[in-house]
Amino acid sequence: MRVLFTGADGYIGALLGPYLIEQGIEAVGLDTGYYRQGWLYPMRGPRPAVITKDLREITAEDLEGFDGVAHLAELSNDPLGQQDPQLTHEINHGGSVRLAQLARKAGVKRFVYMSSCSVYGVGAPDQILDEESPVNPQTAYAECKAKVEHDVSAMAGDDFEPCFLRNATAYGASPRQRFDIVLNDLCGLAWTTKQIKLLSDGSPWRPLVHALDMCQAVHLSLTAPPDRIRGQIFNVGSNQQNYRVIEIARIVANEFSGCELIVGEPSADNRSYRVNFDKIGHVLPTFEARWTAESGARQMHDVFERIAMSEDDFRAPPYTRLKMLMKHRQSGLLDDKLFWAYP
C-alpha cells in the first residue's frame, strides 16, 4: 500500500511516518515546513521522504499513484485557530475538503481524516458522548473539524472511502514536540520550574490519547476492509482516559517528585466533555489504547532527563504552534495568509 500523509513534520506526523513504514506501508510525507526548526531529540528508525508543499497548493497530479491519504496538516489547536478564524476556515475546512476532492479525482480510494473530540465542545455534567451525539464546537478549530466531517462524508461511495478519527487530546513524546497541549505542558512545567500552576480549578473533563495510539488508529483505518470504515466516525482513545484537568495535574505532579501543584479559580472556558470510545474497538478489534497518562508522564520525564532539557528548550517557539507562526510572520517569512514569503 502506498500512502501520502500530510503534516509529516508535525507532532504526530514525525511519529506516523516511521510507524507506517514499520507496518510495511510505503509512506510519503507532505508538509509546508512551519515547524521544521524544532527537533527536540533524534529518533531511530526509518524516515519517509517528505514533499515540501502547502496544503492549499496540492494538485491532483501530486496524489496520483497513492492508494490512501492520511490527512493531518491543518492549523492545529484552539488558540492558533482563534487568531484569524476566517483564515482558519480557509485552510482547515476549505483546504481539507479540496484535498479530499483532489484525492478522489486522482483515484485515491482511502482517505483518513484526523478530526478531534473537540467537536463535542460542551457536554452535560453527567453526559458521556459517542459518535452519534450532537456536535457543539466552541472554536474555529473545532467548527472546521465538524464541517470537514460533514462535507467529506457526503463524498463516500464505491470509489472513495473516507473515515474520520475524532482524537482525544494528544500527549506523549515526539521529536517534533508540542508543549501547548495539556499533559505535555504540565510535564514541561514540572521539570523546568518544579511547579504546576493551573489557570483554572481543573474541573473540566478532557479525554486523552497518546500520539502512538493515534498512529495505530491511522494505520488500522488505512488497512481495514472498506465496508468497516467507509463514511465512519471513530472516537480515538479509551474510556479509562477521561480525566479532569486536576487529575492530569496530580498524575504529573506524582511523576515529577518535589513538584508543587497550585490550583486556580474556576475558568470562563466552558469546554468540558467526557467521551465513549467503544466503537473503534468493536469495528477495528485490534485497536487498543496502550498508553495511559501515567505511562505518558513517565515517558516525558525520561526524555527530559536524557536530553537534559532546559527551560529555554521548553519555552522555545518551535514547540508551541502559535509562537512559531507568530515568529515566522513577524520576521517576514510568512505573509498574512501564511504562505511562505521569503526568499
Side-chain angles (χ1 to χ4, degrees), residues 86-114:
Q86 181 177 345
L87 182 58
T88 298
H89 279 267
E90 289 175 11
I91 295 174
N92 289 14
H93 174 229
S96 296
V97 172
R98 177 178 174 274
L99 175 64
Q101 293 168 339
L102 291 174
R104 188 181 188 185
K105 179 180 178 181
V108 177
K109 295 200 71 172
R110 190 66 52 96
F111 189 88
V112 178
Y113 176 66
M114 294 293 261

Side-chain angles (χ1 to χ4, degrees), residues 179 182-197 248-261 297 300-301 304 309 311 314-315:
F179 287 122
V182 58
L183 186 142
N184 294 359
D185 179 40
L186 298 182
C187 287
L189 287 170
W191 173 258
T192 60
T193 72
K194 303 298 182 184
Q195 186 180 86
I196 296 173
K197 188 173 184 178
I248 302 170
R250 287 171 179 152
I251 288 168
V252 172
N254 287 336
E255 171 61 33
F256 291 82
S257 59
C259 176
E260 179 187 12
L261 174 57
M300 298 291 289
H301 196 172
F304 298 164
M309 190 181 78
E311 187 168 358
F314 170 55
R315 300 192 186 280

Side-chain angles (χ1 to χ4, degrees), residues 128 168 205-208 238-244 247-248 273-277:
I128 299 180
W205 288 93
R206 289 288 187 277
L208 298 184
S238 65
N239 295 337
Q240 294 73 32
Q241 292 191 76
N242 282 294
Y243 300 99
R244 290 189 185 273
E247 294 172 331
I248 302 170
Y273 46 89
R274 284 184 290 171
V275 178
N276 178 281
F277 296 96

Side-chain angles (χ1 to χ4, degrees), residues 105-309:
K105 179 180 178 181
V108 177
K109 295 200 71 172
R110 190 66 52 96
F111 189 88
V112 178
Y113 176 66
M114 294 293 261
S115 188
S116 168
C117 284
S118 66
V119 299
Y120 296 120
V122 180
D126 60 347
Q127 188 178 19
I128 299 180
L129 302 155
D130 63 20
E131 290 85 352
E132 302 300 319
S133 300
V135 297
N136 186 19
Q138 301 293 301
T139 63
Y141 171 78
E143 287 169 4
C144 290
K145 294 293 190 187
K147 290 173 72 174
V148 173
E149 288 181 6
H150 176 270
D151 292 350
V152 176
S153 65
M155 298 166 57
D158 291 340
D159 65 333
F160 195 62
E161 303 156 3
C163 73
F164 310 92
L165 303 181
R166 286 182 182 167
N167 296 286
T169 300
Y171 66 91
S174 166
R176 302 283 189 192
Q177 190 62 38
R178 283 182 62 183
F179 287 122
D180 52 4
I181 42 183
V182 58
L183 186 142
N184 294 359
D185 179 40
L186 298 182
C187 287
L189 287 170
W191 173 258
T192 60
T193 72
K194 303 298 182 184
Q195 186 180 86
I196 296 173
K197 188 173 184 178
L198 295 184
L199 300 179
S200 73
D201 63 355
S203 61
W205 288 93
R206 289 288 187 277
L208 298 184
V209 66
H210 195 280
L212 287 172
D213 288 330
M214 294 168 67
C215 294
Q216 179 193 168
V218 172
H219 171 247
L220 293 175
S221 299
L222 286 168
T223 56
D227 291 343
R228 284 185 174 267
I229 61 89
R230 185 187 294 110
Q232 293 297 310
I233 295 170
F234 301 104
N235 293 333
V236 180
S238 65
N239 295 337
Q240 294 73 32
Q241 292 191 76
N242 282 294
Y243 300 99
R244 290 189 185 273
V245 173
I246 186 64
E247 294 172 331
I248 302 170
R250 287 171 179 152
I251 288 168
V252 172
N254 287 336
E255 171 61 33
F256 291 82
S257 59
C259 176
E260 179 187 12
L261 174 57
I262 301 172
V263 181
E265 299 297 324
S267 171
D269 186 350
N270 63 350
R271 291 170 301 151
S272 179
Y273 46 89
R274 284 184 290 171
V275 178
N276 178 281
F277 296 96
D278 289 341
K279 179 179 176 181
I280 189 170
H282 291 153
V283 179
L284 304 174
T286 60
F287 175 80
E288 179 187 5
R290 297 165 183 163
W291 292 78
T292 64
E294 289 85 356
S295 61
R298 284 195 299 273
Q299 180 197 34
M300 298 291 289
H301 196 172
D302 181 64
V303 167
F304 298 164
E305 286 186 331
R306 288 173 183 269
I307 67 172
M309 190 181 78

